[in-house]
Amino acid sequence: MDNIIYLVSFILTMSLATFATRAAPFVLFHKQGEHPILVFLGRYLPPAIMLLLLIYCVKDIDWFVDQGGINELTALSAVTIAHLVFRNPLVSILLGTGLYMYLKQSI
Amino acid sequence: MTTSSHSDAITAQAEPVTIANSFKTTLPVLFGYVPMGMAFGLLLADQGYAWYWATIMGVVIFAGAAQFMAIGLLAASAGLFEVAMTTLLLNSRHIFYGLSLIHHLKAKGWHKLYIIFGLTDETYSLLTAHHALKCQTNALKGQDSSPKNQGNTSAQQNGIDTEISTSEDLQEGKFQFIITALNHSYWVLGCTIGALLGGALTFDTNGLEFTLPALFMVLVIEQYKATQKIFPFVIALACAIASLMLFDSDSMLLISITMTLTLLLGKQQLDVRGITVKRGAK
């Protein structure tokens, strides 16, 4: 029983803390109206964060051992080329992922 | 209304928003979240917890990194204060997500609260990409859809235009809500399957998680097309390299986002001053 109480309060704590980080800006800045800084960030923060998330996904690759990162680079290039050609996100992503799975599982 | 000539899955939609047409947008997240959630469920079940705890955590926490961290914290019987602090720190990058979404969340009431609750990396990416594309489509049609101008036009023009913009907002809000709910359900599904089936799974999903970097790659391209500006990427790349060189790679995301935000704010201030200088010169 003690265990269940601990587990439930553990989960609630983590849930509230996560929600707090997501809700903070809405609580803190909702009265700022169309502040030029917020408009600027609304436009240029997303592209920057998207690149950071991409880099974050590949950050643990060991580039200096042989084959290091070659699968990821190949698959990401495939995604890029497919996207520039077909302009269909789903096609680009599935093609790249299929290629990546093939490369990873066949080596 | 918005019409796009190509069949983008992530696009401003002309037809009414439904679960079916939003589903396409979230497919990459489905393929990313299910294996990741399964890994979490499997690990939690390995610690001796009943399967439904993985489901519950998926439902009420809905944060990948925090839930993986939870396994370690549970094993160490960490104090609740420590749990709160580490979670806040780990998820603090989400603060910056809200910053750029304050004026773009069109849902109201509990729908809005729910979207904020479900603002993961991936949901944030889909929501901002959708917004960027909508701006792009509107710009092609010769109208600036930045919130400021939208406000001006609807204030200056007659009631019909205001009504159209409101119904567009309604569709947008509905779309944002459905995207969040779909992503959330994939995560819960993954956590549950992982905990239930655990080691019994035999099919080889090795590499399936690549849908997430692939999604971000696509979104980088789309964001570039929408903004037509290279500076956000140059700043982000420099900050990523700097934080990877100077700090350990686990804290890379938070540190590089903070650095990027600082540099973007600096750039914004410079831009503002640049305009002032030009005006002064006249």
Side-chain angles (χ1 to χ4, degrees):
Chain A
M1 192 57 199
D2 275 0
N3 242 335
I4 298 255
I5 292 172
Y6 172 71
L7 194 55
V8 169
S9 30
F10 179 102
I11 292 173
L12 282 181
T13 305
M14 196 167 254
S15 173
L16 286 175
T18 302
F19 182 66
T21 57
R22 291 172 184 170
F26 294 94
V27 176
L28 294 175
F29 296 112
H30 78 285
K31 283 189 181 142
Q32 301 299 309
E34 306 291 351
H35 193 284
I37 290 180
L38 285 183
V39 173
F40 184 89
L41 290 182
R43 197 167 296 162
Y44 298 119
L45 194 55
I49 287 181
M50 233 49 75
L51 182 60
L52 291 176
L53 286 170
L54 172 64
I55 297 172
Y56 182 77
C57 285
V58 295
K59 73 177 169 22
D60 289 324
I61 295 169
D62 202 343
W63 298 95
F64 302 106
V65 298
D66 34 8
Q67 303 268 325
I70 206 94
N71 292 349
E72 284 81 1
L73 278 182
T74 312
L76 282 179
S77 312
V79 171
T80 308
I81 293 165
H83 197 61
L84 293 176
V85 174
F86 301 114
R87 290 223 56 192
N88 185 324
L90 215 49
V91 170
S92 329
I93 291 164
L94 294 183
L95 216 78
T97 306
L99 178 64
Y100 182 76
M101 288 178 79
Y102 171 75
L103 290 172
K104 201 173 175 191
Q105 293 180 14
S106 65
I107 292 169
Chain B
M1 293 298 285
T2 43
T3 43
S4 51
S5 49
H6 50 80
S7 60
D8 269 355
I10 303 162
T11 188
Q13 282 146 358
E15 73 266 37
V17 171
T18 61
I19 293 177
N21 59 29
S22 313
F23 173 68
K24 237 172 40 165
T25 309
T26 63
L27 268 180
V29 180
L30 167 70
F31 294 123
Y33 270 12
V34 169
M36 218 206 295
M38 279 167 57
F40 164 76
L42 179 64
L43 285 172
L44 190 75
D46 268 357
Q47 297 287 311
Y49 294 94
W51 65 270
Y52 48 81
W53 289 112
T55 312
I56 293 172
M57 288 172 81
V59 171
V60 304
I61 301 175
F62 190 25
Q67 282 179 232
F68 279 103
M69 188 185 67
I71 294 166
L73 289 174
L74 278 172
S77 301
L80 294 183
F81 182 74
E82 191 190 341
V83 172
M85 285 303 125
T86 42
T87 310
L88 281 173
L89 202 66
L90 186 69
N91 286 332
S92 43
R93 67 178 183 283
H94 291 143
I95 291 171
F96 305 121
Y97 297 174
L99 267 184
S100 58
L101 279 175
I102 285 178
H103 299 302
H104 305 322
L105 280 197
K106 300 297 183 195
K108 303 266 179 271
W110 71 270
H111 279 221
K112 183 172 182 178
L113 264 183
Y114 176 71
I115 295 170
I116 294 171
F117 162 82
L119 208 53
T120 61
D121 296 330
E122 290 76 13
T123 305
Y124 170 77
S125 308
L126 293 184
L127 295 186
T128 50
H130 184 256
H131 178 79
L133 258 152
K134 215 178 118 208
C135 292
Q136 194 185 8
T137 320
N138 287 345
L140 284 176
K141 288 191 306 179
Q143 41 174 274
D144 191 336
S145 77
S146 75
K148 193 168 189 170
N149 288 333
Q150 236 171 29
N152 285 343
T153 37
S154 56
Q156 282 158 9
Q157 288 173 1
N158 56 35
I160 296 170
D161 270 20
T162 316
E163 224 164 78
I164 289 170
S165 138
T166 311
S167 93
E168 247 181 46
D169 283 358
L170 266 177
Q171 288 294 309
E172 178 83 0
K174 195 178 166 193
F175 176 81
Q176 294 172 338
F177 179 77
I178 292 175
I179 295 289
T180 308
L182 285 173
N183 287 352
H184 193 189
S185 68
Y186 306 151
W187 179 246
V188 174
L189 184 75
C191 294
T192 310
I193 297 177
L196 270 176
L197 301 182
L201 286 164
T202 48
F203 66 95
D204 198 352
T205 57
N206 198 1
L208 189 59
E209 71 284 352
F210 193 77
T211 52
L212 291 179
L215 172 66
F216 295 134
M217 181 79 238
V218 164
L219 295 180
V220 163
I221 299 170
E222 290 295 337
Q223 287 284 350
Y224 173 71
K225 281 180 179 160
T227 59
Q228 298 286 320
K229 290 279 192 301
I230 200 79
F231 76 84
F233 302 107
V234 175
I235 289 175
L237 185 65
C239 293
I241 293 172
S243 72
L244 281 174
M245 285 169 72
L246 297 174
F247 305 94
D248 74 308
S249 74
D250 285 336
S251 43
M252 172 257 169
L253 203 48
L254 177 60
I255 292 172
S256 58
I257 289 179
T258 312
M259 290 164 78
T260 300
L261 181 80
T262 313
L263 287 178
L264 279 178
L265 287 175
K267 158 96 173 125
Q268 195 267 345
Q269 288 301 309
L270 282 178
D271 286 0
V272 169
R273 280 180 205 160
I275 289 166
T276 320
V277 168
K278 270 180 209 158
R279 275 186 190 152
K282 265 184 196 170

